[in-house]
Amino acid sequence: MGRINVTRPFVPELDEFVDEIRPVFESHILTNMGPVYNRFQGMLKDYLNVSGLSLFVNGHMALEMAIQAFELDGKAQGKGEVITTPFTFVSTVHAIARNGLTPVFCDIKKDDYCLDPDKLEGLINERTVAIIPVHVYGNICDTYRIGSIASEHGLKVIYDGAHAFGETYRGTGVGNFGDATMFSFHATKVFNTIEGGAVAFKDQRYTLPLHELKNFGIHDEEHIGAIGGNAKLDEFRAAMGICNLRHIDECIAARKKVSDRYREKLSGVDGIVLNPLREDIRYNYAYMPVYIDPEAYGRTRDDVYKELKRHGIYSRKYFYPALNEIDLYRECPGGPTPVAHDVSMKILTLPIYDSLPLETVDEICGIISAKGRYQRK
Ligand SMILES: *Cc1c(COP(=O)(O)O)cnc(C)c1O
């Protein structure tokens, strides 16, 4: 078995991509919200079933600029706090901090690793301006409870939906919850544009600010209305997106087969706890997390990580360490986060992607089941 990584980006047939970029070469319009960008934006808006969508060069800048567009900093005169969780990719917390806001850490739930609404209200004070929960691994946050707490306190909710592309919760596209949702189209995500991202939003008043912020805040040839940056998705990446969107449903179906196989093979292993799947969520099978309880399993998460690596299988300690345990954010306010700490120490994400052969899944499960006694056939 050659090296198996935790993910392997989907790519279309080269000819399909060439057909899509031929008009870009012919037109010499390479970027700056050109025709391919606009076509792709419309197609994605339909696919995600959202009322507003703005494309970005990556998910991180999409989130940073969504925060900026909501002018959260202005509202709190530079002292605003944003509640999020320490169990996320560092991008979420950087996006808050880079907007001049203070991240406040809330614990997560043990069953789905998303923000725990029971722990939320105690962290809200007069400086709180927003909540940025994360749909971890494609598990959907308790959007209804978070929404009602937020509206009671007049707070904005922006979801980090980097893991949740194309999912629905109780039949609603996941990009419709809260004030906005960020999606990432990074190569390693379920749907990729090589690098890319988007903000889905409800209130049409944000269409123009988001559009201008990604292009230096330029309003028109003679007016610059905001301190923007450069976060435009170019025509080539948009073309990649158009190609990959044609295949996304097949990719998700193939991921489901991989996920089903893991669940079949690992469900009986003592000490291996699988993320329960819910009936009311249509999943994208973005990740395959396993929680390894060292007491019951007999070995630790790090043991499994190393054992898999010895066999050329590169799983990920995703997310480790918890972000309120790294020097940059250790001093940030928040509640106790024992669940986030525990999960970050015991979770491992296994390889999952559309082209992962089921025989490889069987081999990975064999290694995990054997608890260090695995012999190659
Ligand atoms: C990937 C990811 C991001 C950042 O997205 P990019 O497109 O890589 O900039 C943010 N948050 C989470 C949870 C992610 O997984």
Side-chain angles (χ1 to χ4, degrees):
M1 190 160 57
R3 181 185 166 121
I4 301 289
N5 289 322
V6 76
T7 191
R8 182 169 177 260
F10 175 85
V11 293
E13 292 293 326
L14 184 57
D15 286 346
E16 186 179 348
F17 183 61
V18 170
D19 285 346
E20 222 50 68
I21 62 170
R22 199 178 307 277
V24 180
F25 270 66
E26 284 163 0
S27 70
H28 294 246
I29 299 170
L30 308 183
T31 185
N32 283 25
M33 290 83 104
V36 186
Y37 170 104
N38 281 301
R39 190 153 67 91
F40 176 48
Q41 188 165 268
M43 289 166 73
L44 256 190
K45 190 165 163 272
D46 290 344
Y47 184 82
L48 296 170
N49 213 346
V50 290
S51 45
L53 191 78
S54 193
L55 297 177
F56 284 84
V57 68
N58 56 52
H60 178 83
M61 289 311 295
L63 183 57
E64 252 193 60
M65 289 185 170
I67 295 170
Q68 190 182 356
F70 285 124
E71 299 184 313
L72 298 177
D73 193 32
K75 183 183 157 197
Q77 283 107 32
K79 290 199 208 81
E81 295 184 354
V82 176
I83 302 172
T84 188
T85 88
F87 193 70
T88 180
F89 184 47
V90 71
S91 163
T92 319
V93 181
H94 282 346
I96 296 167
R98 286 169 57 83
N99 269 287
L101 297 156
T102 302
V104 175
F105 293 109
C106 179
D107 208 2
I108 57 170
K109 287 185 285 166
K110 200 160 174 66
D111 59 342
D112 64 6
Y113 321 118
C114 295
L115 186 143
D116 186 347
D118 288 339
K119 312 276 171 63
L120 181 56
E121 219 151 9
L123 299 173
I124 297 172
N125 61 40
E126 69 285 353
R127 292 180 301 278
T128 312
V129 291
I131 308 167
I132 304 190
V134 184
H135 297 310
V136 178
Y137 305 137
N139 292 327
I140 307 299
C141 296
D142 195 340
T143 54
Y144 294 94
R145 278 194 60 204
I146 293 170
S148 71
I149 293 170
S151 66
E152 229 169 85
H153 296 270
L155 304 175
K156 289 275 191 295
V157 182
I158 303 174
Y159 285 99
D160 180 332
H163 296 182
F165 183 85
E167 295 189 315
T168 64
Y169 178 32
R170 301 188 190 168
T172 302
V174 70
N176 292 289
F177 295 104
D179 297 282
T181 299
M182 174 274 269
F183 292 106
S184 164
F185 312 142
H186 184 256
T188 56
K189 301 298 190 327
V190 167
F191 169 76
N192 86 81
T193 60
I194 308 169
E195 293 264 7
V199 178
F201 54 95
K202 239 178 254 147
D203 189 335
Q204 298 308 309
R205 280 178 305 176
Y206 292 109
T207 310
L208 199 59
L210 285 167
H211 190 78
E212 293 179 357
L213 280 172
K214 77 181 87 169
N215 190 27
F216 309 100
I218 294 170
H219 184 64
D220 62 33
E221 268 183 60
E222 297 183 4
H223 300 94
I224 297 154
I227 305 175
N230 182 0
K232 307 183 293 290
L233 187 80
D234 65 69
E235 295 289 276
F236 293 83
R237 290 180 175 84
M240 186 72 164
I242 289 173
C243 294
N244 287 352
L245 199 55
R246 285 190 197 112
H247 303 282
I248 185 65
D249 292 336
E250 304 155 41
C251 282
I252 292 174
R255 283 172 172 274
K256 179 178 189 319
K257 288 204 175 107
V258 171
S259 164
D260 288 349
R261 187 69 152 237
Y262 271 121
R263 285 174 179 276
E264 180 196 324
K265 300 269 166 170
L266 292 178
S267 58
V269 182
D270 282 342
I272 299 292
V273 183
L274 300 174
N275 175 164
L277 297 184
R278 295 167 46 152
E279 290 293 323
D280 54 5
I281 297 173
R282 192 180 74 202
Y283 289 97
N284 61 12
Y285 308 95
Y287 296 86
M288 185 64 216
V290 292
Y291 173 96
I292 299 162
D293 174 359
E295 311 278 299
Y297 182 73
R299 311 181 86 220
T300 65
R301 181 270 309 271
D302 288 7
D303 292 336
V304 179
Y305 171 83
K306 283 185 216 142
E307 177 72 2
L308 289 170
K309 196 165 165 183
R310 221 166 54 75
H311 288 89
I313 294 151
Y314 290 75
S315 60
R316 290 282 309 275
K317 300 177 201 179
Y318 195 60
F319 304 103
Y320 170 81
L323 295 174
N324 52 355
E325 296 174 25
I326 71 170
D327 285 345
L328 277 174
Y329 296 118
R330 203 184 293 282
E331 304 299 326
C332 289
T337 57
V339 180
H341 174 77
D342 178 70
V343 173
S344 77
M345 299 301 289
K346 297 178 186 165
I347 205 89
L348 195 63
T349 60
L350 302 176
I352 187 166
Y353 46 88
D354 61 286
S355 59
L356 182 66
L358 296 181
E359 301 77 63
T360 307
V361 176
D362 292 347
E363 185 161 2
I364 294 168
C365 296
I367 294 166
I368 294 171
S369 309
K371 306 189 179 186
R373 297 181 301 271
Y374 189 77
Q375 299 293 325
R376 295 206 65 165
K377 280 172 220 110

